[in-house]
Amino acid sequence: MVEFGDGSSLITRLDTGNVTITPARSGSSPSDAQQAAQDGSVTTTNGPERELRTVTPRGYSLHGNNKADSFHYKSDSGMAKLDRCDNGRCTVKASVKVQLKQTLHGGSSHRWTLGLLTDHWSGDPYSFSYDYYCGVSVPNETDWTCDTNDATANGHHSDDPVRGSTGTYAHDLNRDFGAHEADRTKFPMVAYHISWPGYPPVVHVKYRGWDIRRYSGVWKLAPATGTGN
């Protein structure tokens, strides 16, 4: 189950090998979690997920509107949970707190630092891997990744830093989003892959960061942002 700050949740259940994802509540307007279920920004599979492409990958969504200022954004914190269900009765086997932070450096910098947080909350040890992408917003066309037309931008990056841990992983991922295409909007994307050794499901939480634009030579968070695709 992935729980969000608005109280909504997604349930990941391990029940005789069948994995389901279910919004915990409904309403007249989609919650962050329900929207995530609809557009694929939170999914569960029985194996690893990897994406390699030059157009931006799909299913990455904004989780929360927590823009602090022109240089700092953080997602809502979430809780990835593994429920073990038997004869209709479910118990939480494990849970991991997850969050993404985005920081711009200001001045002439064209880099951002993405704070990746996973924190063992309860139950069995967890493993964590991630995929990073950088996107360029292209009006009336399919968005492309930052390194597609700009060799100065860092491209796709992945790592699996946590294996069978009951601790906290807090890492600052510093990447270059490119010195060129300065008239366009750019945004980061990070997919978290949470799993538990001995259990097949993998929970994928796809974070889209806040849009950035260059104002008077300085990259800043835009006043408003896209929410994902």
Side-chain angles (χ1 to χ4, degrees):
M1 181 166 57
V2 178
E3 296 179 334
F4 295 88
D6 66 352
S8 57
S9 62
L10 299 179
I11 301 171
T12 300
R13 295 183 177 181
L14 179 61
D15 185 8
T16 63
N18 295 321
V19 178
T20 60
I21 298 178
T22 308
R25 70 182 189 183
S26 60
S28 58
S29 61
S31 68
D32 288 343
Q34 291 167 325
Q35 186 62 47
Q38 293 166 12
D39 63 25
S41 65
V42 180
T43 60
T44 300
T45 72
N46 282 336
E49 180 179 273
R50 288 289 183 266
E51 300 161 326
L52 294 174
R53 58 187 75 183
T54 55
V55 299
T56 54
R58 315 301 286 178
Y60 288 75
S61 292
L62 195 76
H63 292 267
N65 297 310
N66 310 307
K67 176 190 172 187
D69 53 38
S70 295
F71 299 95
H72 299 89
Y73 163 79
K74 64 179 179 180
S75 74
D76 287 343
S77 61
M79 195 74 74
K81 292 184 179 179
L82 176 67
D83 285 358
R84 181 63 181 268
C85 298
D86 186 20
N87 295 323
R89 301 184 64 181
C90 298
T91 57
V92 178
K93 291 290 295 178
S95 59
V96 179
K97 183 179 180 181
V98 294
Q99 191 172 34
L100 174 72
K101 297 182 180 181
Q102 177 184 354
T103 302
L104 293 178
H105 299 179
S108 61
S109 174
H110 40 85
R111 303 184 71 90
W112 48 37
T113 295
L114 303 174
L116 313 183
L117 173 68
T118 60
D119 185 8
H120 178 266
W121 208 248
S122 67
D124 293 7
Y126 76 100
S127 297
F128 167 65
S129 63
Y130 66 85
D131 281 277
Y132 160 84
Y133 293 90
C134 173
V136 177
S137 180
V138 187
N140 303 317
E141 292 186 44
T142 301
D143 295 342
W144 54 65
T145 55
C146 294
D147 60 326
T148 300
N149 297 313
D150 184 355
T152 68
N154 295 141
H156 169 255
H157 175 74
S158 63
D159 198 2
D160 54 348
V162 179
R163 301 182 184 183
S165 173
T166 56
T168 297
Y169 175 74
H171 175 65
D172 287 338
L173 179 64
N174 188 304
R175 305 293 286 175
D176 196 319
F177 50 79
H180 307 307
E181 298 189 283
D183 59 336
R184 296 189 182 277
T185 298
K186 303 182 182 184
F187 53 92
M189 295 166 287
V190 184
Y192 287 27
H193 314 299
I194 307 292
S195 61
W196 294 268
Y199 298 90
V202 181
V203 176
H204 309 283
V205 183
K206 294 183 176 181
Y207 287 108
R208 185 198 195 279
W210 198 274
D211 283 351
I212 68 169
R213 292 193 64 86
R214 197 170 70 160
Y215 301 93
S216 301
V218 179
W219 287 95
K220 299 180 180 180
L221 299 181
T225 184
T227 58
N229 53 41

